[in-house]
Amino acid sequence: MGVWSNLFLGSWPIFLKGLTSFRRALMELLDKVQLNYDTTDQDIQDITDVCHQLLDVCILIGDLDTSILVNTWKVLKKLVTKHKDYIKDHLEVERLICHLCSSIESKLCLCIQLTSCGMNGSDDAHKGSLSTGDEAALAKMLKVMRFLVGHLVHLIKEYDGYYDKCIEDIYHFLLTIQSKLPPSPNSQKITSSAAQGLKSALLVVVEPLLSVLVANKIFANLVTKKTLAVKKEDQFSYCCLVASLVGIASKTTEDVFTYWVMPSNYPEEEHRLSLVEVLFKTFKMCVLENYLPVFLDGVMCNGKPLREVTFYEHVCTRICALVAATPVTCFPVVERCLLEKILEDDVLCALLAIDVWCFMARWGSAELCAGHVTVLTQLLLTLPSSEAAYIHLSLLIQRLVRLMAVEHQEGLLTSFPPSKEENIIVWRVFPLQDMPEVVKKKVCRLLVPLCIKVCHSRTKQSDEHDDILFRCLSCLHAVYNLSEVEQYVPPVHHSAIVGLVNDLWCDNVTETGVRFDSKVWCVLLDLSSTLLHVIQPEDFAKIISGLHTLLAKCSEMEVRDAAVHFLGKCGRKEIPEHLKSTVLGNITAMFSSLVSDQHWLVHHRAFQSVKAFAEEFVQGFFKLQLEKAEARERQISGDETLNEEIPMMDKGSRSRDKRAGDCGAPEAKRVKLHQNSCENKGEELYEKALKEMNISLSTISDLRKEFAPPPRIVEQLKEIQRRLQGFLSKSPNDET
């Protein structure tokens, strides 16, 4: 056996040289073959057999000699192209295509093995890790792959309609090259230069192939059939494939577009999905790729360099192009599909559908946008506010109202009058801050008293009315988020809202229990924080006490998170001395509980809230103390100036100095009493200031035990320390 092996290896160069000469002679001979109208069936069969035998040679050679492989494929390509009209019904096109796909896939695997070998560190550290021989082998392999890929595209274009049996092989080939190369998360780590070379050799073929296959109904049936099963490692590739098809379908004829987007689904046929629905279905599978995020090449724009975009933008851009190209007959299908995704629980698909719908509103007419808002708002009135569909639809309506024409926004006052109780939910959703002044004014004057009335009536009823109370409080919160709310809400209504908030806290939080569900408490906390600057100190103390009781009895994460947000704003609220100890004690206890919360979000936001509270409280305290000190200094300075510059007058309108001159001696006793009075007054002022300072220092010390002070607060405390040291270092004579 060894003798035969040595003989074969030794004669291999001679064999290759002879084969090369034979190939050249064969090419010259085949070039002279001409088929015309006199060609017999035997001639056609002979030339077809030659093509099949050349394919066998390509399969036999494989990776033994790339030069012979490439030249043999050149001959084969020339033959099948030149004699296409004669041999197309006899040539085994499926066999040629399947071999090309499998050959390209095998060479891709070899390239990945070659470039990923020994890579254990970062890509930058291994850019030059390939040896010179490996680099040459990789370059040669890439060249062969580009050659074979070009033949594959050419063959599919030339023999369109003659390869239906291998459609599934082409489909799997497209999935494979996408999944094995970046940016697919399932691809192996290879050098960036190798990845770029492989992508330029293979991924560029996807668009040309799909441009041919998009008109193939068998391919359309395969991609869009409802029962299509996709492997987990191919889900990203499948979504990229469908996204590319969406972009290509938008440029096809109306017949092709309709076949993809609006399937007929006759009973005798396998059920198919709309291409838009297929894209959402596959997009839902790619949660990881959206959150990483994965970046792909964006759409080339004239005059701008190609940029990378997120996978979300990649998909959104193509489906928007499909919407822009949708004919009238298919438009209801697109609308229905988008609405179904918005009403589903999946957040990612809902956001994508909302973005596409907003593009549709901007692309269409103002009347279309207004019509959509009316229909969607009527649908919203039928949904419970606790469902995900309600939240998604609310977000869409908010964005669409901003896109409406001004006259259409004003028309909402007639379509959904704010004076009716059933429309409270509507004006809670509409973005009031972005609407015309006439709408703001009328809505505030009609909606605010209605909400107050409904709240007072509902709080006296059973807990089943919590949803109505939630909607009313949400409306009031939306009104008070307006930048110039005082211009729209009359003083009497403003006072009524403050009274309503106080009543809700006082009447519904007791030691025996709390009313309302979590969503009502959350919106009440939000409204309370908005009205914090107008709530009286005594009422504020009651709210803090009620919140303390609420947190002790309510364990919902949403309520605790809303409480964290509310407490973070309480630092700016001025607290009277007789309430300070109780209020600060409750706030400290609540912060201590929230910082130790088991939920990561509440725990994280509690630290942020403590920082915000401490900064606002300490700044407000020292600002108040400085203002008081400056006022006292001005008062004392004014008294001294008055004593020095304005002489005392007696009943006879004579100055004290003149009267003293007349008497010949000063009134020593009176002056002594005046000095004693000033000294006693100054001592009292000092004692009062020191008392307030001790209270504040005790508060700061208690805060220091619970929370580390931020650097800005430390610097302010050091500045106060320096001022105190300067005060103590001065002698009484320095003040004169």
Side-chain angles (χ1 to χ4, degrees), residues 229-467:
V230 182
K231 297 179 181 178
K232 187 175 182 179
E233 58 270 20
D234 292 334
Q235 289 175 353
F236 173 72
S237 304
Y238 181 46
C239 191
C240 289
L241 178 68
V242 176
S244 299
L245 280 169
V246 167
I248 293 171
S250 61
K251 305 172 185 177
T252 59
T253 62
E254 185 172 343
D255 291 341
V256 174
F257 186 97
T258 302
Y259 192 82
W260 280 96
V261 175
M262 194 168 62
S264 54
N265 287 326
Y266 295 112
E268 64 274 10
E269 296 178 348
E270 188 173 9
H271 188 76
R272 292 173 53 229
L273 300 175
S274 170
L275 184 62
V276 181
E277 191 172 354
V278 173
L279 181 58
F280 277 102
K281 178 183 176 181
T282 59
F283 185 74
K284 187 187 300 185
M285 303 175 185
C286 301
V287 178
L288 177 64
E289 288 78 6
N290 277 287
Y291 284 105
L292 280 177
V294 170
F295 290 91
L296 297 92
D297 290 338
V299 178
M300 178 68 76
C301 298
N302 294 333
K304 295 182 180 179
L306 183 66
R307 64 182 182 93
E308 288 189 331
V309 298
T310 62
F311 180 59
Y312 182 94
E313 183 177 343
H314 176 81
V315 174
C316 187
T317 302
R318 280 152 181 78
I319 195 171
C320 286
L322 183 79
V323 169
T326 302
V328 177
T329 54
C330 299
F331 202 74
V333 177
V334 176
E335 284 182 317
R336 183 176 65 250
C337 182
L338 293 177
L339 182 59
E340 288 175 353
K341 301 309 168 186
I342 291 171
L343 298 179
E344 289 180 358
D345 293 340
D346 190 271
V347 177
L348 200 60
C349 284
L351 291 177
L352 179 61
I354 289 171
D355 284 340
V356 175
W357 199 305
C358 291
F359 168 81
M360 182 168 60
R362 294 175 65 98
W363 181 266
S365 62
E367 288 73 17
L368 176 66
C369 183
H372 282 169
V373 170
T374 301
V375 173
L376 294 175
T377 304
Q378 291 171 348
L379 176 60
L380 185 73
L381 290 170
T382 65
L383 297 175
S385 58
S386 58
E387 292 186 359
Y390 174 89
I391 299 173
H392 300 161
L393 197 58
S394 299
L395 180 59
L396 174 60
I397 292 174
Q398 288 176 1
R399 293 180 61 179
L400 290 179
V401 170
R402 294 187 177 98
L403 300 176
M404 292 175 67
V406 174
E407 58 270 19
H408 293 155
Q409 289 181 340
E410 295 174 354
L412 294 175
L413 291 170
T414 304
S415 302
F416 305 97
S419 58
K420 294 186 178 180
E421 183 177 335
E422 61 268 21
N423 292 329
I424 290 177
I425 182 177
V426 173
W427 291 101
R428 171 187 172 266
V429 172
F430 289 162
L432 197 58
Q433 68 276 10
D434 298 320
M435 301 183 77
E437 291 294 317
V438 62
V439 177
K440 294 179 184 177
K441 184 176 295 185
K442 189 167 183 179
V443 168
C444 290
R445 291 189 176 273
L446 294 176
L447 194 63
V448 169
L450 175 63
C451 289
I452 295 173
K453 178 183 176 181
V454 172
C455 285
H456 279 300
S457 63
R458 299 306 182 191
T459 51
K460 299 177 182 178
Q461 300 181 16
S462 60
D463 294 344
E464 64 184 12
H465 297 282
D466 281 1
D467 190 60

Side-chain angles (χ1 to χ4, degrees), residues 385-602:
S385 58
S386 58
E387 292 186 359
Y390 174 89
I391 299 173
H392 300 161
L393 197 58
S394 299
L395 180 59
L396 174 60
I397 292 174
Q398 288 176 1
R399 293 180 61 179
L400 290 179
V401 170
R402 294 187 177 98
L403 300 176
M404 292 175 67
V406 174
E407 58 270 19
H408 293 155
Q409 289 181 340
E410 295 174 354
L412 294 175
L413 291 170
T414 304
S415 302
F416 305 97
S419 58
K420 294 186 178 180
E421 183 177 335
E422 61 268 21
N423 292 329
I424 290 177
I425 182 177
V426 173
W427 291 101
R428 171 187 172 266
V429 172
F430 289 162
L432 197 58
Q433 68 276 10
D434 298 320
M435 301 183 77
E437 291 294 317
V438 62
V439 177
K440 294 179 184 177
K441 184 176 295 185
K442 189 167 183 179
V443 168
C444 290
R445 291 189 176 273
L446 294 176
L447 194 63
V448 169
L450 175 63
C451 289
I452 295 173
K453 178 183 176 181
V454 172
C455 285
H456 279 300
S457 63
R458 299 306 182 191
T459 51
K460 299 177 182 178
Q461 300 181 16
S462 60
D463 294 344
E464 64 184 12
H465 297 282
D466 281 1
D467 190 60
I468 299 176
L469 185 61
F470 167 74
R471 296 177 181 183
C472 293
L473 294 176
S474 298
C475 275
L476 294 176
H477 183 243
V479 168
Y480 272 85
N481 275 334
L482 296 174
S483 57
E484 299 177 351
V485 64
E486 293 80 7
Q487 298 180 6
Y488 311 118
V489 179
V492 61
H493 295 161
H494 179 74
S495 301
I497 292 177
V498 176
L500 172 66
V501 171
N502 295 333
D503 292 343
L504 290 175
W505 279 108
C506 295
D507 299 341
N508 299 283
V509 182
T510 62
E511 294 297 332
T512 58
V514 295
R515 283 188 62 187
F516 310 144
D517 57 15
S518 59
K519 63 181 181 181
V520 175
W521 288 118
C522 290
V523 72
L524 181 58
L525 280 166
D526 291 339
L527 181 59
S528 301
S529 64
T530 305
L531 297 171
L532 197 60
H533 64 289
V534 295
I535 295 177
Q536 295 299 318
E538 290 76 11
D539 295 328
F540 174 70
K542 294 178 182 178
I543 291 175
I544 292 296
S545 177
L547 180 59
H548 189 204
T549 304
L550 175 64
L551 291 180
K553 298 180 178 298
C554 183
S555 59
E556 282 86 352
M557 187 277 294
E558 296 82 1
V559 176
R560 301 180 73 81
D561 184 51
V564 165
H565 179 72
F566 172 76
L567 291 173
K569 295 185 176 182
C570 291
R572 69 188 68 170
K573 186 68 178 177
E574 185 176 350
I575 308 171
E577 290 297 331
H578 67 285
L579 298 173
K580 186 173 293 185
S581 176
T582 303
V583 172
L584 291 180
N586 286 332
I587 291 177
T588 302
M590 286 187 285
F591 271 138
S592 178
S593 172
L594 293 168
V595 167
S596 306
D597 198 275
Q598 297 297 320
H599 196 281
W600 66 270
L601 183 60
V602 177

